[in-house]
mmCIF file of all heavy atoms in Angstrom:
data_model
loop_
_atom_site.group_PDB
_atom_site.id
_atom_site.type_symbol
_atom_site.label_atom_id
_atom_site.label_comp_id
_atom_site.label_asym_id
_atom_site.label_seq_id
_atom_site.Cartn_x
_atom_site.Cartn_y
_atom_site.Cartn_z
ATOM 1 N N GLY A 1 5.879 2.649 3.527
ATOM 2 C CA GLY A 1 4.635 2.525 4.212
ATOM 3 C C GLY A 1 3.541 1.855 3.374
ATOM 4 O O GLY A 1 2.381 2.122 3.598
ATOM 5 N N LEU A 2 3.944 1.014 2.387
ATOM 6 C CA LEU A 2 3.046 0.380 1.496
ATOM 7 C C LEU A 2 2.751 -1.089 1.902
ATOM 8 O O LEU A 2 2.034 -1.827 1.187
ATOM 9 C CB LEU A 2 3.513 0.386 0.078
ATOM 10 C CG LEU A 2 3.463 1.725 -0.628
ATOM 11 C CD1 LEU A 2 4.215 1.794 -1.960
ATOM 12 C CD2 LEU A 2 2.010 2.219 -0.821
ATOM 13 N N THR A 3 3.267 -1.603 2.964
ATOM 14 C CA THR A 3 3.024 -2.893 3.503
ATOM 15 C C THR A 3 2.037 -2.893 4.682
ATOM 16 O O THR A 3 2.008 -1.894 5.429
ATOM 17 C CB THR A 3 4.318 -3.568 3.921
ATOM 18 O OG1 THR A 3 4.997 -2.788 4.929
ATOM 19 C CG2 THR A 3 5.213 -3.811 2.745
ATOM 20 N N THR A 4 1.324 -3.936 4.888
ATOM 21 C CA THR A 4 0.326 -3.936 5.947
ATOM 22 C C THR A 4 1.050 -4.134 7.283
ATOM 23 O O THR A 4 2.046 -4.715 7.506
ATOM 24 C CB THR A 4 -0.590 -5.107 5.766
ATOM 25 O OG1 THR A 4 0.100 -6.311 5.672
ATOM 26 C CG2 THR A 4 -1.388 -4.966 4.546
ATOM 27 N N GLN A 5 0.345 -3.548 8.277
ATOM 28 C CA GLN A 5 0.767 -3.649 9.670
ATOM 29 C C GLN A 5 0.279 -5.006 10.356
ATOM 30 O O GLN A 5 -0.820 -5.398 10.005
ATOM 31 C CB GLN A 5 0.265 -2.493 10.525
ATOM 32 C CG GLN A 5 0.888 -1.137 10.189
ATOM 33 C CD GLN A 5 0.336 -0.007 11.026
ATOM 34 O OE1 GLN A 5 -0.812 0.126 11.193
ATOM 35 N NE2 GLN A 5 1.221 0.780 11.575
ATOM 36 N N ARG A 6 1.089 -5.621 11.111
ATOM 37 C CA ARG A 6 0.758 -6.863 11.755
ATOM 38 C C ARG A 6 0.580 -6.670 13.275
ATOM 39 O O ARG A 6 1.462 -6.016 13.859
ATOM 40 C CB ARG A 6 1.718 -7.957 11.456
ATOM 41 C CG ARG A 6 1.349 -9.355 12.018
ATOM 42 C CD ARG A 6 2.401 -10.346 11.867
ATOM 43 N NE ARG A 6 2.064 -11.606 12.450
ATOM 44 C CZ ARG A 6 2.937 -12.619 12.575
ATOM 45 N NH1 ARG A 6 4.227 -12.507 12.250
ATOM 46 N NH2 ARG A 6 2.478 -13.730 13.141
ATOM 47 N N TYR A 7 -0.449 -7.251 13.781
ATOM 48 C CA TYR A 7 -0.619 -7.231 15.233
ATOM 49 C C TYR A 7 -0.741 -8.691 15.756
ATOM 50 O O TYR A 7 -1.622 -9.409 15.339
ATOM 51 C CB TYR A 7 -1.860 -6.432 15.638
ATOM 52 C CG TYR A 7 -2.119 -6.473 17.142
ATOM 53 C CD1 TYR A 7 -1.454 -5.481 17.938
ATOM 54 C CD2 TYR A 7 -2.943 -7.374 17.799
ATOM 55 C CE1 TYR A 7 -1.642 -5.419 19.337
ATOM 56 C CE2 TYR A 7 -3.113 -7.368 19.176
ATOM 57 C CZ TYR A 7 -2.487 -6.333 19.909
ATOM 58 O OH TYR A 7 -2.697 -6.348 21.280
ATOM 59 N N GLN A 8 0.116 -9.087 16.611
ATOM 60 C CA GLN A 8 0.088 -10.472 17.187
ATOM 61 C C GLN A 8 0.310 -10.341 18.704
ATOM 62 O O GLN A 8 1.277 -9.805 19.189
ATOM 63 C CB GLN A 8 1.137 -11.332 16.522
ATOM 64 C CG GLN A 8 1.109 -12.751 16.898
ATOM 65 C CD GLN A 8 1.691 -13.156 18.187
ATOM 66 O OE1 GLN A 8 2.727 -12.592 18.526
ATOM 67 N NE2 GLN A 8 1.080 -14.094 18.966
ATOM 68 N N SER A 9 -0.661 -10.949 19.420
ATOM 69 C CA SER A 9 -0.532 -10.994 20.899
ATOM 70 C C SER A 9 -1.367 -12.239 21.410
ATOM 71 O O SER A 9 -2.594 -12.225 21.199
ATOM 72 C CB SER A 9 -1.047 -9.698 21.530
ATOM 73 O OG SER A 9 -1.017 -9.823 23.006
ATOM 74 N N GLY A 10 -0.632 -13.169 21.905
ATOM 75 C CA GLY A 10 -1.385 -14.439 22.317
ATOM 76 C C GLY A 10 -1.943 -15.103 21.151
ATOM 77 O O GLY A 10 -1.298 -15.506 20.117
ATOM 78 N N LYS A 11 -3.335 -15.328 21.242
ATOM 79 C CA LYS A 11 -3.967 -16.026 20.077
ATOM 80 C C LYS A 11 -4.425 -15.062 19.023
ATOM 81 O O LYS A 11 -4.959 -15.473 17.992
ATOM 82 C CB LYS A 11 -5.243 -16.773 20.661
ATOM 83 C CG LYS A 11 -4.785 -17.919 21.586
ATOM 84 C CD LYS A 11 -6.099 -18.677 22.009
ATOM 85 C CE LYS A 11 -5.725 -19.921 22.978
ATOM 86 N NZ LYS A 11 -6.908 -20.561 23.363
ATOM 87 N N VAL A 12 -4.257 -13.780 19.246
ATOM 88 C CA VAL A 12 -4.723 -12.754 18.247
ATOM 89 C C VAL A 12 -3.568 -12.467 17.292
ATOM 90 O O VAL A 12 -2.450 -12.210 17.641
ATOM 91 C CB VAL A 12 -5.019 -11.421 18.946
ATOM 92 C CG1 VAL A 12 -5.457 -10.365 17.955
ATOM 93 C CG2 VAL A 12 -6.164 -11.634 19.995
ATOM 94 N N ASP A 13 -3.857 -12.636 16.049
ATOM 95 C CA ASP A 13 -2.860 -12.452 14.965
ATOM 96 C C ASP A 13 -3.611 -12.072 13.650
ATOM 97 O O ASP A 13 -4.286 -12.723 13.042
ATOM 98 C CB ASP A 13 -2.080 -13.738 14.750
ATOM 99 C CG ASP A 13 -0.829 -13.535 13.903
ATOM 100 O OD1 ASP A 13 -0.750 -12.357 13.337
ATOM 101 O OD2 ASP A 13 -0.079 -14.472 13.735
ATOM 102 N N TYR A 14 -3.399 -10.715 13.328
ATOM 103 C CA TYR A 14 -4.090 -10.309 12.131
ATOM 104 C C TYR A 14 -3.230 -9.197 11.459
ATOM 105 O O TYR A 14 -2.380 -8.576 12.103
ATOM 106 C CB TYR A 14 -5.457 -9.744 12.341
ATOM 107 C CG TYR A 14 -5.504 -8.584 13.326
ATOM 108 C CD1 TYR A 14 -5.416 -7.317 12.723
ATOM 109 C CD2 TYR A 14 -5.685 -8.715 14.690
ATOM 110 C CE1 TYR A 14 -5.458 -6.188 13.593
ATOM 111 C CE2 TYR A 14 -5.738 -7.541 15.485
ATOM 112 C CZ TYR A 14 -5.641 -6.338 14.973
ATOM 113 O OH TYR A 14 -5.670 -5.214 15.730
ATOM 114 N N ASP A 15 -3.497 -8.986 10.193
ATOM 115 C CA ASP A 15 -2.878 -7.883 9.383
ATOM 116 C C ASP A 15 -3.890 -6.842 9.232
ATOM 117 O O ASP A 15 -5.023 -6.951 8.985
ATOM 118 C CB ASP A 15 -2.503 -8.400 7.988
ATOM 119 C CG ASP A 15 -1.354 -9.347 8.069
ATOM 120 O OD1 ASP A 15 -0.501 -9.306 9.033
ATOM 121 O OD2 ASP A 15 -1.247 -10.221 7.218
ATOM 122 N N GLY A 16 -3.414 -5.518 9.491
ATOM 123 C CA GLY A 16 -4.254 -4.409 9.345
ATOM 124 C C GLY A 16 -4.078 -3.658 8.097
ATOM 125 O O GLY A 16 -3.729 -4.153 7.002
ATOM 126 N N HIS A 17 -4.240 -2.286 8.093
ATOM 127 C CA HIS A 17 -4.023 -1.345 6.949
ATOM 128 C C HIS A 17 -2.548 -1.288 6.743
ATOM 129 O O HIS A 17 -1.703 -1.632 7.561
ATOM 130 C CB HIS A 17 -4.776 -0.036 7.143
ATOM 131 C CG HIS A 17 -6.251 -0.210 7.332
ATOM 132 N ND1 HIS A 17 -7.069 -0.493 6.276
ATOM 133 C CD2 HIS A 17 -7.098 0.025 8.376
ATOM 134 C CE1 HIS A 17 -8.253 -0.531 6.730
ATOM 135 N NE2 HIS A 17 -8.287 -0.218 8.044
ATOM 136 N N ILE A 18 -2.235 -0.599 5.568
ATOM 137 C CA ILE A 18 -0.828 -0.327 5.357
ATOM 138 C C ILE A 18 -0.371 0.689 6.444
ATOM 139 O O ILE A 18 -1.048 1.489 6.929
ATOM 140 C CB ILE A 18 -0.602 0.242 3.938
ATOM 141 C CG1 ILE A 18 -1.450 1.507 3.668
ATOM 142 C CG2 ILE A 18 -0.933 -0.775 2.911
ATOM 143 C CD1 ILE A 18 -1.193 2.216 2.353
ATOM 144 N N SER A 19 0.960 0.652 6.714
ATOM 145 C CA SER A 19 1.505 1.469 7.770
ATOM 146 C C SER A 19 1.520 2.899 7.484
ATOM 147 O O SER A 19 1.394 3.817 8.356
ATOM 148 C CB SER A 19 2.924 0.992 8.094
ATOM 149 O OG SER A 19 3.792 1.270 6.996
ATOM 150 N N ARG A 20 1.581 3.307 6.208
ATOM 151 C CA ARG A 20 1.652 4.761 5.768
ATOM 152 C C ARG A 20 2.795 5.548 6.415
ATOM 153 O O ARG A 20 2.683 6.708 6.795
ATOM 154 C CB ARG A 20 0.339 5.436 6.011
ATOM 155 C CG ARG A 20 -0.817 4.837 5.232
ATOM 156 C CD ARG A 20 -2.153 5.650 5.459
ATOM 157 N NE ARG A 20 -3.225 5.126 4.686
ATOM 158 C CZ ARG A 20 -4.416 5.599 4.644
ATOM 159 N NH1 ARG A 20 -4.755 6.659 5.351
ATOM 160 N NH2 ARG A 20 -5.436 5.032 3.841
ATOM 161 N N ARG A 21 3.914 4.893 6.563
ATOM 162 C CA ARG A 21 5.073 5.560 7.181
ATOM 163 C C ARG A 21 6.002 5.922 5.962
ATOM 164 O O ARG A 21 5.949 5.375 4.940
ATOM 165 C CB ARG A 21 5.765 4.613 8.123
ATOM 166 C CG ARG A 21 5.016 4.390 9.448
ATOM 167 C CD ARG A 21 5.787 3.615 10.478
ATOM 168 N NE ARG A 21 5.114 3.488 11.756
ATOM 169 C CZ ARG A 21 5.606 2.883 12.753
ATOM 170 N NH1 ARG A 21 6.865 2.423 12.774
ATOM 171 N NH2 ARG A 21 4.965 2.825 13.898
ATOM 172 N N GLY A 22 6.945 6.738 6.260
ATOM 173 C CA GLY A 22 7.861 7.146 5.317
ATOM 174 C C GLY A 22 7.357 8.322 4.417
ATOM 175 O O GLY A 22 6.665 9.148 4.882
ATOM 176 N N ASP A 23 7.821 8.413 3.216
ATOM 177 C CA ASP A 23 7.631 9.566 2.321
ATOM 178 C C ASP A 23 6.210 9.587 1.796
ATOM 179 O O ASP A 23 5.816 8.837 0.841
ATOM 180 C CB ASP A 23 8.621 9.529 1.206
ATOM 181 C CG ASP A 23 8.687 10.787 0.470
ATOM 182 O OD1 ASP A 23 7.688 11.548 0.367
ATOM 183 O OD2 ASP A 23 9.816 11.191 -0.060
ATOM 184 N N ARG A 24 5.362 10.367 2.429
ATOM 185 C CA ARG A 24 3.940 10.437 1.982
ATOM 186 C C ARG A 24 3.791 10.898 0.515
ATOM 187 O O ARG A 24 2.943 10.374 -0.228
ATOM 188 C CB ARG A 24 3.174 11.339 2.919
ATOM 189 C CG ARG A 24 1.686 11.400 2.636
ATOM 190 C CD ARG A 24 0.938 12.217 3.649
ATOM 191 N NE ARG A 24 1.381 13.613 3.674
ATOM 192 C CZ ARG A 24 0.892 14.536 4.498
ATOM 193 N NH1 ARG A 24 -0.003 14.197 5.363
ATOM 194 N NH2 ARG A 24 1.376 15.777 4.456
ATOM 195 N N HIS A 25 4.587 11.883 0.050
ATOM 196 C CA HIS A 25 4.423 12.361 -1.220
ATOM 197 C C HIS A 25 4.793 11.371 -2.275
ATOM 198 O O HIS A 25 4.065 11.114 -3.231
ATOM 199 C CB HIS A 25 5.316 13.606 -1.405
ATOM 200 C CG HIS A 25 5.275 14.281 -2.746
ATOM 201 N ND1 HIS A 25 6.265 14.270 -3.666
ATOM 202 C CD2 HIS A 25 4.186 14.812 -3.378
ATOM 203 C CE1 HIS A 25 5.912 14.883 -4.735
ATOM 204 N NE2 HIS A 25 4.694 15.190 -4.642
ATOM 205 N N LEU A 26 5.939 10.598 -2.007
ATOM 206 C CA LEU A 26 6.338 9.638 -2.965
ATOM 207 C C LEU A 26 5.285 8.451 -2.931
ATOM 208 O O LEU A 26 5.090 7.873 -3.997
ATOM 209 C CB LEU A 26 7.727 9.057 -2.609
ATOM 210 C CG LEU A 26 8.263 7.987 -3.491
ATOM 211 C CD1 LEU A 26 8.288 8.331 -4.952
ATOM 212 C CD2 LEU A 26 9.726 7.635 -3.013
ATOM 213 N N ARG A 27 4.824 8.181 -1.864
ATOM 214 C CA ARG A 27 3.806 7.034 -1.721
ATOM 215 C C ARG A 27 2.601 7.396 -2.610
ATOM 216 O O ARG A 27 2.017 6.605 -3.229
ATOM 217 C CB ARG A 27 3.408 6.811 -0.311
ATOM 218 C CG ARG A 27 2.444 5.602 -0.035
ATOM 219 C CD ARG A 27 2.308 5.234 1.443
ATOM 220 N NE ARG A 27 1.781 6.386 2.221
ATOM 221 C CZ ARG A 27 2.472 6.966 3.164
ATOM 222 N NH1 ARG A 27 3.815 6.734 3.328
ATOM 223 N NH2 ARG A 27 1.964 8.037 3.798
ATOM 224 N N GLY A 28 2.149 8.653 -2.568
ATOM 225 C CA GLY A 28 1.032 9.069 -3.329
ATOM 226 C C GLY A 28 1.304 9.040 -4.771
ATOM 227 O O GLY A 28 0.467 8.655 -5.632
ATOM 228 N N LEU A 29 2.551 9.445 -5.161
ATOM 229 C CA LEU A 29 2.943 9.312 -6.557
ATOM 230 C C LEU A 29 3.007 7.939 -7.104
ATOM 231 O O LEU A 29 2.513 7.692 -8.253
ATOM 232 C CB LEU A 29 4.323 9.974 -6.763
ATOM 233 C CG LEU A 29 4.407 11.523 -6.583
ATOM 234 C CD1 LEU A 29 5.922 11.952 -6.653
ATOM 235 C CD2 LEU A 29 3.595 12.277 -7.592
ATOM 236 N N LEU A 30 3.421 7.057 -6.325
ATOM 237 C CA LEU A 30 3.460 5.644 -6.713
ATOM 238 C C LEU A 30 2.030 5.083 -6.848
ATOM 239 O O LEU A 30 1.722 4.275 -7.760
ATOM 240 C CB LEU A 30 4.241 4.748 -5.718
ATOM 241 C CG LEU A 30 5.754 4.961 -5.690
ATOM 242 C CD1 LEU A 30 6.413 4.199 -4.636
ATOM 243 C CD2 LEU A 30 6.325 4.547 -7.057
ATOM 244 N N TYR A 31 1.095 5.553 -6.017
ATOM 245 C CA TYR A 31 -0.282 5.045 -6.101
ATOM 246 C C TYR A 31 -0.901 5.633 -7.367
ATOM 247 O O TYR A 31 -1.658 4.987 -8.093
ATOM 248 C CB TYR A 31 -1.053 5.543 -4.901
ATOM 249 C CG TYR A 31 -2.531 5.123 -4.815
ATOM 250 C CD1 TYR A 31 -2.851 3.890 -4.348
ATOM 251 C CD2 TYR A 31 -3.490 5.891 -5.305
ATOM 252 C CE1 TYR A 31 -4.165 3.383 -4.308
ATOM 253 C CE2 TYR A 31 -4.747 5.452 -5.288
ATOM 254 C CZ TYR A 31 -5.111 4.163 -4.763
ATOM 255 O OH TYR A 31 -6.426 3.763 -4.734
ATOM 256 N N GLU A 32 -0.596 6.888 -7.731
ATOM 257 C CA GLU A 32 -1.104 7.448 -8.984
ATOM 258 C C GLU A 32 -0.566 6.680 -10.135
ATOM 259 O O GLU A 32 -1.256 6.414 -11.131
ATOM 260 C CB GLU A 32 -0.715 8.925 -9.058
ATOM 261 C CG GLU A 32 -1.352 9.845 -8.056
ATOM 262 C CD GLU A 32 -0.912 11.304 -8.141
ATOM 263 O OE1 GLU A 32 -0.188 11.625 -9.109
ATOM 264 O OE2 GLU A 32 -1.332 12.114 -7.310
ATOM 265 N N ALA A 33 0.757 6.343 -10.136
ATOM 266 C CA ALA A 33 1.316 5.607 -11.233
ATOM 267 C C ALA A 33 0.670 4.226 -11.258
ATOM 268 O O ALA A 33 0.393 3.707 -12.425
ATOM 269 C CB ALA A 33 2.889 5.451 -10.962
ATOM 270 N N ALA A 34 0.372 3.612 -10.190
ATOM 271 C CA ALA A 34 -0.307 2.298 -10.212
ATOM 272 C C ALA A 34 -1.701 2.466 -10.796
ATOM 273 O O ALA A 34 -2.192 1.573 -11.573
ATOM 274 C CB ALA A 34 -0.422 1.716 -8.736
ATOM 275 N N THR A 35 -2.374 3.548 -10.521
ATOM 276 C CA THR A 35 -3.773 3.791 -11.032
ATOM 277 C C THR A 35 -3.654 3.949 -12.527
ATOM 278 O O THR A 35 -4.517 3.359 -13.315
ATOM 279 C CB THR A 35 -4.279 5.059 -10.464
ATOM 280 O OG1 THR A 35 -4.367 4.932 -8.959
ATOM 281 C CG2 THR A 35 -5.695 5.353 -11.053
ATOM 282 N N VAL A 36 -2.659 4.616 -13.006
ATOM 283 C CA VAL A 36 -2.468 4.746 -14.508
ATOM 284 C C VAL A 36 -2.239 3.415 -15.142
ATOM 285 O O VAL A 36 -2.824 3.005 -16.195
ATOM 286 C CB VAL A 36 -1.223 5.726 -14.824
ATOM 287 C CG1 VAL A 36 -0.980 5.683 -16.351
ATOM 288 C CG2 VAL A 36 -1.600 7.082 -14.331
ATOM 289 N N ILE A 37 -1.422 2.595 -14.504
ATOM 290 C CA ILE A 37 -1.132 1.312 -15.046
ATOM 291 C C ILE A 37 -2.374 0.395 -15.156
ATOM 292 O O ILE A 37 -2.589 -0.383 -16.077
ATOM 293 C CB ILE A 37 -0.042 0.553 -14.180
ATOM 294 C CG1 ILE A 37 1.261 1.242 -14.272
ATOM 295 C CG2 ILE A 37 0.047 -0.895 -14.537
ATOM 296 C CD1 ILE A 37 2.362 0.731 -13.364
ATOM 297 N N LEU A 38 -3.303 0.536 -14.132
ATOM 298 C CA LEU A 38 -4.468 -0.299 -14.076
ATOM 299 C C LEU A 38 -5.622 0.195 -14.980
ATOM 300 O O LEU A 38 -6.408 -0.586 -15.355
ATOM 301 C CB LEU A 38 -4.971 -0.410 -12.672
ATOM 302 C CG LEU A 38 -4.184 -1.218 -11.678
ATOM 303 C CD1 LEU A 38 -4.761 -1.101 -10.285
ATOM 304 C CD2 LEU A 38 -4.004 -2.664 -12.120
ATOM 305 N N THR A 39 -5.616 1.511 -15.349
ATOM 306 C CA THR A 39 -6.689 2.107 -15.973
ATOM 307 C C THR A 39 -6.459 2.413 -17.436
ATOM 308 O O THR A 39 -7.433 2.664 -18.259
ATOM 309 C CB THR A 39 -7.193 3.425 -15.270
ATOM 310 O OG1 THR A 39 -6.128 4.299 -15.184
ATOM 311 C CG2 THR A 39 -7.756 3.020 -13.893
ATOM 312 N N ARG A 40 -5.213 2.472 -17.837
ATOM 313 C CA ARG A 40 -4.890 2.858 -19.293
ATOM 314 C C ARG A 40 -4.419 1.647 -20.057
ATOM 315 O O ARG A 40 -3.449 1.057 -19.648
ATOM 316 C CB ARG A 40 -3.868 3.982 -19.244
ATOM 317 C CG ARG A 40 -4.336 5.322 -18.669
ATOM 318 C CD ARG A 40 -3.323 6.459 -18.908
ATOM 319 N NE ARG A 40 -3.832 7.626 -18.294
ATOM 320 C CZ ARG A 40 -3.125 8.705 -18.221
ATOM 321 N NH1 ARG A 40 -1.963 8.789 -18.833
ATOM 322 N NH2 ARG A 40 -3.589 9.841 -17.623
ATOM 323 N N SER A 41 -5.143 1.401 -21.168
ATOM 324 C CA SER A 41 -4.746 0.200 -22.011
ATOM 325 C C SER A 41 -3.357 0.393 -22.637
ATOM 326 O O SER A 41 -2.692 -0.539 -22.909
ATOM 327 C CB SER A 41 -5.819 -0.042 -23.061
ATOM 328 O OG SER A 41 -5.996 1.133 -23.839
ATOM 329 N N SER A 42 -2.955 1.635 -22.830
ATOM 330 C CA SER A 42 -1.677 1.912 -23.406
ATOM 331 C C SER A 42 -0.590 1.526 -22.558
ATOM 332 O O SER A 42 0.626 1.448 -22.896
ATOM 333 C CB SER A 42 -1.486 3.380 -23.834
ATOM 334 O OG SER A 42 -1.703 4.189 -22.763
ATOM 335 N N ALA A 43 -0.855 1.316 -21.232
ATOM 336 C CA ALA A 43 0.223 0.952 -20.260
ATOM 337 C C ALA A 43 0.345 -0.579 -20.106
ATOM 338 O O ALA A 43 0.599 -1.111 -19.024
ATOM 339 C CB ALA A 43 -0.063 1.578 -18.880
ATOM 340 N N ASP A 44 0.097 -1.256 -21.168
ATOM 341 C CA ASP A 44 0.076 -2.803 -21.185
ATOM 342 C C ASP A 44 1.454 -3.309 -20.758
ATOM 343 O O ASP A 44 2.441 -2.889 -21.284
ATOM 344 C CB ASP A 44 -0.382 -3.301 -22.496
ATOM 345 C CG ASP A 44 -0.570 -4.799 -22.399
ATOM 346 O OD1 ASP A 44 -1.102 -5.256 -21.398
ATOM 347 O OD2 ASP A 44 -0.196 -5.475 -23.440
ATOM 348 N N SER A 45 1.456 -4.264 -19.832
ATOM 349 C CA SER A 45 2.725 -4.800 -19.369
ATOM 350 C C SER A 45 2.383 -6.027 -18.508
ATOM 351 O O SER A 45 1.199 -6.186 -18.142
ATOM 352 C CB SER A 45 3.621 -3.842 -18.552
ATOM 353 O OG SER A 45 2.890 -3.479 -17.330
ATOM 354 N N GLY A 46 3.321 -6.800 -18.076
ATOM 355 C CA GLY A 46 3.107 -7.996 -17.238
ATOM 356 C C GLY A 46 2.667 -7.454 -15.843
ATOM 357 O O GLY A 46 1.806 -8.104 -15.272
ATOM 358 N N LEU A 47 3.210 -6.303 -15.434
ATOM 359 C CA LEU A 47 2.716 -5.771 -14.189
ATOM 360 C C LEU A 47 1.260 -5.384 -14.207
ATOM 361 O O LEU A 47 0.531 -5.610 -13.192
ATOM 362 C CB LEU A 47 3.559 -4.479 -13.830
ATOM 363 C CG LEU A 47 3.272 -3.794 -12.490
ATOM 364 C CD1 LEU A 47 3.549 -4.729 -11.337
ATOM 365 C CD2 LEU A 47 4.193 -2.566 -12.380
#
């Protein structure tokens, strides 16, 4: 559930928020890990 939802009908075509489907607990853990990667200098990497 980490990809955006798409709505397309006629001339309307846009991407919305992430779908948030699937394992909510794991999704939250991955978001926390991403926060650590972005905020801690010791987590230096190409990512």
Side-chain angles (χ1 to χ4, degrees):
L2 289 169
T3 54
T4 56
Q5 292 179 311
R6 183 187 178 191
Y7 179 86
Q8 189 277 323
S9 178
K11 294 183 179 180
V12 179
D13 191 353
Y14 64 87
D15 291 331
H17 298 288
I18 59 174
S19 65
R20 294 184 179 180
R21 292 186 175 182
D23 192 329
R24 180 174 62 179
H25 182 244
L26 178 55
R27 185 169 60 251
L29 290 175
L30 290 175
Y31 185 85
E32 290 180 8
T35 301
V36 171
I37 291 174
L38 291 175
T39 56
R40 295 187 183 177
S41 59
S42 59
D44 189 37
S45 65
L47 181 60

